[in-house]
Each structure stands twice: as structure tokens, then as C-alpha cells.
PDB file of all heavy atoms in Angstrom:
ATOM      1  N   PHE A   1     130.013 127.925 148.323  1.00 97.00           N
ATOM      2  CA  PHE A   1     129.546 126.689 148.957  1.00 97.00           C
ATOM      3  C   PHE A   1     129.127 126.994 150.394  1.00 97.00           C
ATOM      4  O   PHE A   1     129.686 127.881 151.041  1.00 97.00           O
ATOM      5  CB  PHE A   1     130.679 125.649 149.014  1.00 97.00           C
ATOM      6  CG  PHE A   1     131.171 125.192 147.678  1.00 97.00           C
ATOM      7  CD1 PHE A   1     131.903 126.047 146.858  1.00 97.00           C
ATOM      8  CD2 PHE A   1     130.924 123.902 147.230  1.00 97.00           C
ATOM      9  CE1 PHE A   1     132.377 125.635 145.617  1.00 97.00           C
ATOM     10  CE2 PHE A   1     131.388 123.471 145.991  1.00 97.00           C
ATOM     11  CZ  PHE A   1     132.113 124.339 145.189  1.00 97.00           C
ATOM     12  N   THR A   2     128.170 126.221 150.902  1.00 95.00           N
ATOM     13  CA  THR A   2     127.828 126.314 152.313  1.00 95.00           C
ATOM     14  C   THR A   2     127.389 124.940 152.803  1.00 95.00           C
ATOM     15  O   THR A   2     127.416 123.961 152.066  1.00 95.00           O
ATOM     16  CB  THR A   2     126.779 127.400 152.564  1.00 95.00           C
ATOM     17  OG1 THR A   2     126.708 127.675 153.966  1.00 95.00           O
ATOM     18  CG2 THR A   2     125.410 127.008 152.024  1.00 95.00           C
ATOM     19  N   HIS A   3     126.967 124.870 154.052  1.00 91.00           N
ATOM     20  CA  HIS A   3     126.845 123.574 154.727  1.00 91.00           C
ATOM     21  C   HIS A   3     125.497 122.882 154.534  1.00 91.00           C
ATOM     22  O   HIS A   3     124.507 123.490 154.109  1.00 91.00           O
ATOM     23  CB  HIS A   3     127.132 123.724 156.213  1.00 91.00           C
ATOM     24  CG  HIS A   3     126.237 124.727 156.905  1.00 91.00           C
ATOM     25  ND1 HIS A   3     124.934 124.474 157.233  1.00 91.00           N
ATOM     26  CD2 HIS A   3     126.489 125.992 157.336  1.00 91.00           C
ATOM     27  CE1 HIS A   3     124.410 125.520 157.843  1.00 91.00           C
ATOM     28  NE2 HIS A   3     125.329 126.464 157.909  1.00 91.00           N
ATOM     29  N   LEU A   4     125.496 121.604 154.869  1.00 84.00           N
ATOM     30  CA  LEU A   4     124.269 120.809 154.914  1.00 84.00           C
ATOM     31  C   LEU A   4     123.260 121.447 155.872  1.00 84.00           C
ATOM     32  O   LEU A   4     123.635 122.174 156.786  1.00 84.00           O
ATOM     33  CB  LEU A   4     124.582 119.404 155.431  1.00 84.00           C
ATOM     34  CG  LEU A   4     125.142 118.365 154.461  1.00 84.00           C
ATOM     35  CD1 LEU A   4     125.718 117.207 155.259  1.00 84.00           C
ATOM     36  CD2 LEU A   4     124.044 117.866 153.538  1.00 84.00           C
ATOM     37  N   ASN A   5     121.969 121.121 155.670  1.00 81.00           N
ATOM     38  CA  ASN A   5     120.925 121.620 156.566  1.00 81.00           C
ATOM     39  C   ASN A   5     121.044 123.135 156.734  1.00 81.00           C
ATOM     40  O   ASN A   5     121.200 123.653 157.840  1.00 81.00           O
ATOM     41  CB  ASN A   5     120.995 120.913 157.925  1.00 81.00           C
ATOM     42  CG  ASN A   5     120.810 119.419 157.796  1.00 81.00           C
ATOM     43  OD1 ASN A   5     119.905 118.957 157.111  1.00 81.00           O
ATOM     44  ND2 ASN A   5     121.677 118.651 158.438  1.00 81.00           N
ATOM     45  N   MET A   6     120.950 123.822 155.629  1.00 88.00           N
ATOM     46  CA  MET A   6     121.228 125.250 155.589  1.00 88.00           C
ATOM     47  C   MET A   6     120.293 126.069 156.469  1.00 88.00           C
ATOM     48  O   MET A   6     119.083 125.875 156.458  1.00 88.00           O
ATOM     49  CB  MET A   6     121.113 125.740 154.146  1.00 88.00           C
ATOM     50  CG  MET A   6     122.068 125.054 153.194  1.00 88.00           C
ATOM     51  SD  MET A   6     121.660 125.421 151.471  1.00 88.00           S
ATOM     52  CE  MET A   6     120.049 124.633 151.303  1.00 88.00           C
ATOM     53  N   ASP A   7     120.895 126.983 157.221  1.00 90.00           N
ATOM     54  CA  ASP A   7     120.130 127.928 158.014  1.00 90.00           C
ATOM     55  C   ASP A   7     120.154 129.293 157.325  1.00 90.00           C
ATOM     56  O   ASP A   7     120.700 129.450 156.235  1.00 90.00           O
ATOM     57  CB  ASP A   7     120.685 128.010 159.441  1.00 90.00           C
ATOM     58  CG  ASP A   7     122.189 128.326 159.469  1.00 90.00           C
ATOM     59  OD1 ASP A   7     122.738 128.758 158.433  1.00 90.00           O
ATOM     60  OD2 ASP A   7     122.802 128.135 160.533  1.00 90.00           O
ATOM     61  N   ALA A   8     119.569 130.282 157.981  1.00 94.00           N
ATOM     62  CA  ALA A   8     119.479 131.605 157.352  1.00 94.00           C
ATOM     63  C   ALA A   8     120.848 132.245 157.180  1.00 94.00           C
ATOM     64  O   ALA A   8     121.063 133.004 156.224  1.00 94.00           O
ATOM     65  CB  ALA A   8     118.568 132.506 158.176  1.00 94.00           C
ATOM     66  N   ASP A   9     121.776 131.976 158.078  1.00 96.00           N
ATOM     67  CA  ASP A   9     123.120 132.546 157.935  1.00 96.00           C
ATOM     68  C   ASP A   9     123.806 131.982 156.696  1.00 96.00           C
ATOM     69  O   ASP A   9     124.405 132.723 155.911  1.00 96.00           O
ATOM     70  CB  ASP A   9     123.949 132.235 159.184  1.00 96.00           C
ATOM     71  CG  ASP A   9     125.232 133.055 159.257  1.00 96.00           C
ATOM     72  OD1 ASP A   9     125.318 134.099 158.584  1.00 96.00           O
ATOM     73  OD2 ASP A   9     126.143 132.647 159.999  1.00 96.00           O
ATOM     74  N   ALA A  10     123.702 130.667 156.506  1.00 95.00           N
ATOM     75  CA  ALA A  10     124.313 130.034 155.336  1.00 95.00           C
ATOM     76  C   ALA A  10     123.690 130.546 154.042  1.00 95.00           C
ATOM     77  O   ALA A  10     124.400 130.935 153.101  1.00 95.00           O
ATOM     78  CB  ALA A  10     124.161 128.513 155.436  1.00 95.00           C
ATOM     79  N   VAL A  11     122.365 130.551 153.983  1.00 96.00           N
ATOM     80  CA  VAL A  11     121.674 130.967 152.757  1.00 96.00           C
ATOM     81  C   VAL A  11     121.836 132.462 152.514  1.00 96.00           C
ATOM     82  O   VAL A  11     122.169 132.906 151.406  1.00 96.00           O
ATOM     83  CB  VAL A  11     120.182 130.590 152.824  1.00 96.00           C
ATOM     84  CG1 VAL A  11     119.444 131.095 151.591  1.00 96.00           C
ATOM     85  CG2 VAL A  11     120.006 129.078 152.951  1.00 96.00           C
ATOM     86  N   GLY A  12     121.615 133.272 153.551  1.00 97.00           N
ATOM     87  CA  GLY A  12     121.690 134.712 153.383  1.00 97.00           C
ATOM     88  C   GLY A  12     123.084 135.190 153.009  1.00 97.00           C
ATOM     89  O   GLY A  12     123.245 136.018 152.102  1.00 97.00           O
ATOM     90  N   SER A  13     124.117 134.662 153.684  1.00 98.00           N
ATOM     91  CA  SER A  13     125.486 135.085 153.407  1.00 98.00           C
ATOM     92  C   SER A  13     125.917 134.698 151.999  1.00 98.00           C
ATOM     93  O   SER A  13     126.508 135.502 151.265  1.00 98.00           O
ATOM     94  CB  SER A  13     126.441 134.476 154.428  1.00 98.00           C
ATOM     95  OG  SER A  13     126.169 134.953 155.722  1.00 98.00           O
ATOM     96  N   SER A  14     125.622 133.456 151.614  1.00 98.00           N
ATOM     97  CA  SER A  14     126.064 132.978 150.303  1.00 98.00           C
ATOM     98  C   SER A  14     125.317 133.687 149.172  1.00 98.00           C
ATOM     99  O   SER A  14     125.911 134.062 148.152  1.00 98.00           O
ATOM    100  CB  SER A  14     125.892 131.457 150.200  1.00 98.00           C
ATOM    101  OG  SER A  14     124.546 131.063 150.381  1.00 98.00           O
ATOM    102  N   CYS A  15     124.019 133.903 149.343  1.00 98.00           N
ATOM    103  CA  CYS A  15     123.248 134.568 148.292  1.00 98.00           C
ATOM    104  C   CYS A  15     123.633 136.043 148.152  1.00 98.00           C
ATOM    105  O   CYS A  15     123.660 136.585 147.046  1.00 98.00           O
ATOM    106  CB  CYS A  15     121.756 134.424 148.561  1.00 98.00           C
ATOM    107  SG  CYS A  15     121.123 132.746 148.240  1.00 98.00           S
ATOM    108  N   ALA A  16     123.934 136.692 149.278  1.00 98.00           N
ATOM    109  CA  ALA A  16     124.386 138.083 149.209  1.00 98.00           C
ATOM    110  C   ALA A  16     125.687 138.178 148.415  1.00 98.00           C
ATOM    111  O   ALA A  16     125.868 139.092 147.589  1.00 98.00           O
ATOM    112  CB  ALA A  16     124.572 138.652 150.614  1.00 98.00           C
ATOM    113  N   LEU A  17     126.594 137.243 148.642  1.00 98.00           N
ATOM    114  CA  LEU A  17     127.862 137.236 147.912  1.00 98.00           C
ATOM    115  C   LEU A  17     127.645 137.085 146.416  1.00 98.00           C
ATOM    116  O   LEU A  17     128.196 137.853 145.610  1.00 98.00           O
ATOM    117  CB  LEU A  17     128.743 136.097 148.429  1.00 98.00           C
ATOM    118  CG  LEU A  17     129.459 136.345 149.753  1.00 98.00           C
ATOM    119  CD1 LEU A  17     129.970 135.038 150.335  1.00 98.00           C
ATOM    120  CD2 LEU A  17     130.618 137.330 149.561  1.00 98.00           C
ATOM    121  N   VAL A  18     126.839 136.102 146.026  1.00 98.00           N
ATOM    122  CA  VAL A  18     126.639 135.854 144.598  1.00 98.00           C
ATOM    123  C   VAL A  18     125.938 137.031 143.934  1.00 98.00           C
ATOM    124  O   VAL A  18     126.290 137.431 142.817  1.00 98.00           O
ATOM    125  CB  VAL A  18     125.852 134.545 144.388  1.00 98.00           C
ATOM    126  CG1 VAL A  18     125.379 134.415 142.944  1.00 98.00           C
ATOM    127  CG2 VAL A  18     126.724 133.349 144.764  1.00 98.00           C
ATOM    128  N   ARG A  19     124.983 137.625 144.622  1.00 98.00           N
ATOM    129  CA  ARG A  19     124.279 138.781 144.063  1.00 98.00           C
ATOM    130  C   ARG A  19     125.273 139.905 143.747  1.00 98.00           C
ATOM    131  O   ARG A  19     125.231 140.515 142.670  1.00 98.00           O
ATOM    132  CB  ARG A  19     123.213 139.265 145.052  1.00 98.00           C
ATOM    133  CG  ARG A  19     122.305 140.361 144.507  1.00 98.00           C
ATOM    134  CD  ARG A  19     121.402 140.874 145.604  1.00 98.00           C
ATOM    135  NE  ARG A  19     120.478 139.861 146.069  1.00 98.00           N
ATOM    136  CZ  ARG A  19     119.269 139.660 145.558  1.00 98.00           C
ATOM    137  NH1 ARG A  19     118.855 140.400 144.541  1.00 98.00           N
ATOM    138  NH2 ARG A  19     118.476 138.738 146.055  1.00 98.00           N
ATOM    139  N   GLU A  20     126.187 140.160 144.685  1.00 98.00           N
ATOM    140  CA  GLU A  20     127.144 141.248 144.479  1.00 98.00           C
ATOM    141  C   GLU A  20     128.242 140.865 143.490  1.00 98.00           C
ATOM    142  O   GLU A  20     128.708 141.719 142.714  1.00 98.00           O
ATOM    143  CB  GLU A  20     127.747 141.677 145.818  1.00 98.00           C
ATOM    144  CG  GLU A  20     126.738 142.306 146.764  1.00 98.00           C
ATOM    145  CD  GLU A  20     125.995 143.478 146.137  1.00 98.00           C
ATOM    146  OE1 GLU A  20     126.637 144.302 145.437  1.00 98.00           O
ATOM    147  OE2 GLU A  20     124.763 143.575 146.328  1.00 98.00           O
ATOM    148  N   PHE A  21     128.666 139.607 143.481  1.00 98.00           N
ATOM    149  CA  PHE A  21     129.647 139.179 142.480  1.00 98.00           C
ATOM    150  C   PHE A  21     129.100 139.357 141.066  1.00 98.00           C
ATOM    151  O   PHE A  21     129.807 139.793 140.151  1.00 98.00           O
ATOM    152  CB  PHE A  21     130.042 137.720 142.707  1.00 98.00           C
ATOM    153  CG  PHE A  21     130.861 137.471 143.945  1.00 98.00           C
ATOM    154  CD1 PHE A  21     130.887 136.214 144.546  1.00 98.00           C
ATOM    155  CD2 PHE A  21     131.615 138.484 144.514  1.00 98.00           C
ATOM    156  CE1 PHE A  21     131.653 135.982 145.674  1.00 98.00           C
ATOM    157  CE2 PHE A  21     132.383 138.259 145.651  1.00 98.00           C
ATOM    158  CZ  PHE A  21     132.396 137.003 146.236  1.00 98.00           C
ATOM    159  N   ARG A  22     127.830 139.024 140.887  1.00 98.00           N
ATOM    160  CA  ARG A  22     127.229 139.187 139.557  1.00 98.00           C
ATOM    161  C   ARG A  22     127.139 140.652 139.165  1.00 98.00           C
ATOM    162  O   ARG A  22     127.303 140.998 137.992  1.00 98.00           O
ATOM    163  CB  ARG A  22     125.841 138.538 139.544  1.00 98.00           C
ATOM    164  CG  ARG A  22     125.880 137.014 139.582  1.00 98.00           C
ATOM    165  CD  ARG A  22     124.490 136.447 139.426  1.00 98.00           C
ATOM    166  NE  ARG A  22     124.482 134.986 139.469  1.00 98.00           N
ATOM    167  CZ  ARG A  22     123.384 134.243 139.385  1.00 98.00           C
ATOM    168  NH1 ARG A  22     122.205 134.835 139.241  1.00 98.00           N
ATOM    169  NH2 ARG A  22     123.451 132.928 139.438  1.00 98.00           N
ATOM    170  N   ARG A  23     126.886 141.512 140.128  1.00 98.00           N
ATOM    171  CA  ARG A  23     126.851 142.942 139.829  1.00 98.00           C
ATOM    172  C   ARG A  23     128.215 143.445 139.359  1.00 98.00           C
ATOM    173  O   ARG A  23     128.301 144.447 138.633  1.00 98.00           O
ATOM    174  CB  ARG A  23     126.401 143.735 141.056  1.00 98.00           C
ATOM    175  CG  ARG A  23     124.924 143.567 141.411  1.00 98.00           C
ATOM    176  CD  ARG A  23     124.582 144.370 142.642  1.00 98.00           C
ATOM    177  NE  ARG A  23     124.705 145.805 142.376  1.00 98.00           N
ATOM    178  CZ  ARG A  23     125.086 146.696 143.279  1.00 98.00           C
ATOM    179  NH1 ARG A  23     125.424 146.314 144.500  1.00 98.00           N
ATOM    180  NH2 ARG A  23     125.148 147.977 142.965  1.00 98.00           N
ATOM    181  N   LEU A  24     129.275 142.736 139.785  1.00 98.00           N
ATOM    182  CA  LEU A  24     130.626 143.083 139.345  1.00 98.00           C
ATOM    183  C   LEU A  24     130.977 142.433 138.002  1.00 98.00           C
ATOM    184  O   LEU A  24     132.102 142.567 137.523  1.00 98.00           O
ATOM    185  CB  LEU A  24     131.644 142.650 140.405  1.00 98.00           C
ATOM    186  CG  LEU A  24     131.586 143.381 141.745  1.00 98.00           C
ATOM    187  CD1 LEU A  24     132.569 142.753 142.729  1.00 98.00           C
ATOM    188  CD2 LEU A  24     131.879 144.867 141.563  1.00 98.00           C
ATOM    189  N   GLY A  25     130.020 141.697 137.432  1.00 98.00           N
ATOM    190  CA  GLY A  25     130.244 141.077 136.132  1.00 98.00           C
ATOM    191  C   GLY A  25     130.884 139.707 136.187  1.00 98.00           C
ATOM    192  O   GLY A  25     131.322 139.184 135.153  1.00 98.00           O
ATOM    193  N   LYS A  26     130.910 139.101 137.352  1.00 98.00           N
ATOM    194  CA  LYS A  26     131.526 137.785 137.492  1.00 98.00           C
ATOM    195  C   LYS A  26     130.490 136.685 137.306  1.00 98.00           C
ATOM    196  O   LYS A  26     129.306 136.864 137.632  1.00 98.00           O
ATOM    197  CB  LYS A  26     132.161 137.649 138.889  1.00 98.00           C
ATOM    198  CG  LYS A  26     133.187 138.723 139.199  1.00 98.00           C
ATOM    199  CD  LYS A  26     133.747 138.569 140.592  1.00 98.00           C
ATOM    200  CE  LYS A  26     134.655 139.748 140.946  1.00 98.00           C
ATOM    201  NZ  LYS A  26     135.820 139.837 140.047  1.00 98.00           N
ATOM    202  N   LYS A  27     130.927 135.543 136.796  1.00 98.00           N
ATOM    203  CA  LYS A  27     130.069 134.370 136.727  1.00 98.00           C
ATOM    204  C   LYS A  27     130.072 133.722 138.097  1.00 98.00           C
ATOM    205  O   LYS A  27     131.134 133.321 138.600  1.00 98.00           O
ATOM    206  CB  LYS A  27     130.578 133.391 135.670  1.00 98.00           C
ATOM    207  CG  LYS A  27     129.646 132.214 135.420  1.00 98.00           C
ATOM    208  CD  LYS A  27     130.149 131.348 134.273  1.00 98.00           C
ATOM    209  CE  LYS A  27     129.159 130.226 133.973  1.00 98.00           C
ATOM    210  NZ  LYS A  27     129.642 129.360 132.859  1.00 98.00           N
ATOM    211  N   SER A  28     128.909 133.628 138.716  1.00 98.00           N
ATOM    212  CA  SER A  28     128.874 133.174 140.105  1.00 98.00           C
ATOM    213  C   SER A  28     127.551 132.496 140.433  1.00 98.00           C
ATOM    214  O   SER A  28     126.491 132.910 139.952  1.00 98.00           O
ATOM    215  CB  SER A  28     129.105 134.356 141.055  1.00 98.00           C
ATOM    216  OG  SER A  28     129.218 133.923 142.392  1.00 98.00           O
ATOM    217  N   TRP A  29     127.643 131.449 141.261  1.00 98.00           N
ATOM    218  CA  TRP A  29     126.478 130.706 141.739  1.00 98.00           C
ATOM    219  C   TRP A  29     126.747 130.234 143.174  1.00 98.00           C
ATOM    220  O   TRP A  29     127.895 130.016 143.559  1.00 98.00           O
ATOM    221  CB  TRP A  29     126.208 129.459 140.893  1.00 98.00           C
ATOM    222  CG  TRP A  29     125.769 129.721 139.493  1.00 98.00           C
ATOM    223  CD1 TRP A  29     126.561 129.918 138.395  1.00 98.00           C
ATOM    224  CD2 TRP A  29     124.418 129.807 139.036  1.00 98.00           C
ATOM    225  NE1 TRP A  29     125.791 130.126 137.281  1.00 98.00           N
ATOM    226  CE2 TRP A  29     124.468 130.059 137.629  1.00 98.00           C
ATOM    227  CE3 TRP A  29     123.176 129.697 139.646  1.00 98.00           C
ATOM    228  CZ2 TRP A  29     123.327 130.204 136.863  1.00 98.00           C
ATOM    229  CZ3 TRP A  29     122.032 129.837 138.888  1.00 98.00           C
ATOM    230  CH2 TRP A  29     122.108 130.085 137.507  1.00 98.00           C
ATOM    231  N   VAL A  30     125.665 130.036 143.915  1.00 97.00           N
ATOM    232  CA  VAL A  30     125.745 129.258 145.146  1.00 97.00           C
ATOM    233  C   VAL A  30     125.482 127.808 144.763  1.00 97.00           C
ATOM    234  O   VAL A  30     124.435 127.500 144.179  1.00 97.00           O
ATOM    235  CB  VAL A  30     124.697 129.693 146.188  1.00 97.00           C
ATOM    236  CG1 VAL A  30     124.866 128.883 147.478  1.00 97.00           C
ATOM    237  CG2 VAL A  30     124.800 131.179 146.484  1.00 97.00           C
ATOM    238  N   LEU A  31     126.421 126.932 145.052  1.00 96.00           N
ATOM    239  CA  LEU A  31     126.247 125.513 144.764  1.00 96.00           C
ATOM    240  C   LEU A  31     125.822 124.815 146.045  1.00 96.00           C
ATOM    241  O   LEU A  31     126.613 124.635 146.965  1.00 96.00           O
ATOM    242  CB  LEU A  31     127.554 124.903 144.233  1.00 96.00           C
ATOM    243  CG  LEU A  31     127.520 123.412 143.897  1.00 96.00           C
ATOM    244  CD1 LEU A  31     126.431 123.117 142.863  1.00 96.00           C
ATOM    245  CD2 LEU A  31     128.873 122.938 143.393  1.00 96.00           C
TER     246      LEU A  31
END
């Protein structure tokens, strides 16, 4: 999860996490 009115830190950090979680075989999304 991240905040309203998303900036690059919110989007970049959350998407990097989900990308790597999926590489580990986990079910993951940014909501």
C-alpha cells in the first residue's frame, strides 16, 4: 500500500517491492 496523490517515491518503492516479491514466487500486488 502507499499514499494518496502518489509521487515517484511511492510508486517506485512499491513497484520495486512487488517486482522482487514475485521473483521470489510470492503472490503480490500494489493496491
Side-chain angles (χ1 to χ4, degrees):
F1 296 70
T2 194
H3 57 76
L4 279 165
N5 300 313
M6 300 168 295
D7 54 15
D9 193 20
V11 177
S13 296
S14 59
C15 287
L17 282 164
V18 168
R19 187 186 295 270
E20 294 305 318
F21 290 157
R22 289 186 180 178
R23 289 179 66 213
L24 294 175
K26 303 178 187 298
K27 187 175 184 180
S28 186
W29 293 87
V30 182
L31 180 57

